[in-house]
């Protein structure tokens, strides 16, 4: 039951973002500005929750070894993702939508929104790459104890993370990216749940003793 609960916990945010992506306006105009702004306000606390899919498998206290160092790197990278990707939503989402919504009827909206897009895109790129680093660090931290069981989820998460750099949650690729995160987090959580409590080397030594 704890595994099912954890899988539900780590997949909640990406599934919610996938559903939001299906309803996300395809562009920002005067007609879509209000919806654009309100959606990004609603999603502001959701995007950081993608990191739950990595923090749940890494909930143990770091040990003074490579796995412990990788755990700290994963935590820091997850924090950087949450901070900088929130900046993308705030600037290119809320600020740009508000500016376009309240622009004068005769004003050209391009000069209003494109500088905000550029700033938000720069912030989002930092966040997306930080999330990829967090995925790699998580795999390094978990591999000594759980072995190849962490690899399927890691591979799916790396593909989703790479797509996330420029897909956001826009339909269709952004929605598939969020579904990829959900699948990757579920696989990673299940792999950790099936892993033993002993590191690989200790399990190998125990197996050798039994064989002897």
């Amino acid at each position: 039951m704890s595994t099912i609960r954890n899988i539900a916990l780590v997949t909640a945010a990406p599934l919610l973002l996938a559903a939001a992506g299906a309803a996300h306006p395809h562009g920002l105009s005067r007609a879509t500005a209000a919806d654009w702004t309100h959606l990004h306000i609603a999603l502001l606390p959701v995007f950081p929750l993608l990191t739950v899919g990595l923090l749940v498998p890494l909930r143990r206290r770091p040990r003074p070894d490579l796995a412990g160092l990788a755990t700290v790197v994963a935590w820091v990278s997850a924090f950087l993702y949450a901070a900088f990707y929130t900046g993308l939503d705030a600037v290119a989402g809320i600020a740009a939508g508000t500016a376009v919504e309240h622009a004068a009827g005769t004003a050209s909206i391009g000069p209003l929104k494109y500088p905000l897009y550029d700033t938000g895109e720069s912030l989002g790129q930092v966040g997306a790459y930080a999330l990829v680093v967090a995925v790699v660090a998580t795999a390094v931290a978990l591999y000594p104890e759980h072995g190849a069981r962490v690899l399927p989820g890691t591979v799916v998460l790396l593909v989703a993370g790479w797509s996330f750099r420029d897909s956001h949650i826009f339909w269709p690729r952004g929605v598939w990216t969020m579904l990829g995160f959900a699948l990757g987090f579920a696989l990673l959580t299940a792999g950790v749940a099936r892993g033993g409590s002993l590191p690989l080397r200790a399990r190998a030594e125990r197996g050798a003793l039994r064989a002897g």
Side-chain angles (χ1 to χ4, degrees):
M1 290 300 295
S2 62
T3 300
I4 296 174
R5 182 192 63 227
N6 286 342
I7 289 175
L9 182 64
V10 302
T11 58
L15 290 177
L16 179 58
L17 290 170
H24 197 297
H26 292 288
L28 175 56
S29 65
R30 285 185 171 86
T32 63
D35 290 339
W36 183 281
T37 302
H38 295 155
L39 180 64
H40 284 91
I41 291 173
L43 294 180
L44 200 63
V46 181
F47 275 103
L49 294 179
L50 278 179
T51 60
V52 171
L54 303 177
L55 298 180
V56 168
L58 292 174
R59 61 185 177 273
R60 291 186 180 181
R61 179 179 299 177
R63 299 186 298 269
D65 55 14
L66 177 60
L69 175 61
T71 298
V72 174
V73 171
W75 288 350
V76 172
S77 299
F79 168 77
L80 291 175
Y81 153 75
F84 280 90
Y85 213 84
T86 297
L88 164 65
D89 256 16
V91 175
I94 300 170
T98 301
V100 170
E101 183 180 5
H102 296 282
T106 58
S108 174
I109 66 173
L112 292 175
K113 67 180 182 179
Y114 290 129
L116 295 171
Y117 280 180
D118 291 341
T119 300
E121 179 69 18
S122 298
L123 295 171
Q125 286 285 300
V126 174
Y129 280 115
L131 186 58
V132 171
V133 172
V135 169
V136 174
T138 298
V140 172
L142 295 176
Y143 187 84
E145 181 172 350
H146 302 285
R149 284 181 289 269
V150 305
L151 296 182
T154 299
V155 170
V156 174
L157 289 174
L158 288 177
V159 172
W162 194 255
S163 176
F164 190 41
R165 296 172 306 116
D166 58 1
S167 68
H168 192 49
I169 60 173
F170 290 109
W171 171 264
R173 187 156 66 90
V175 173
W176 287 108
T177 296
M178 290 301 113
L179 294 177
F181 274 124
L183 175 61
F185 291 145
L187 290 173
L188 189 65
T189 300
V192 169
R194 291 197 301 270
S197 60
L198 294 175
L200 290 179
R201 181 177 296 179
R203 294 206 298 270
E205 290 176 354
R206 187 177 66 177
L209 289 173
R210 287 179 176 177

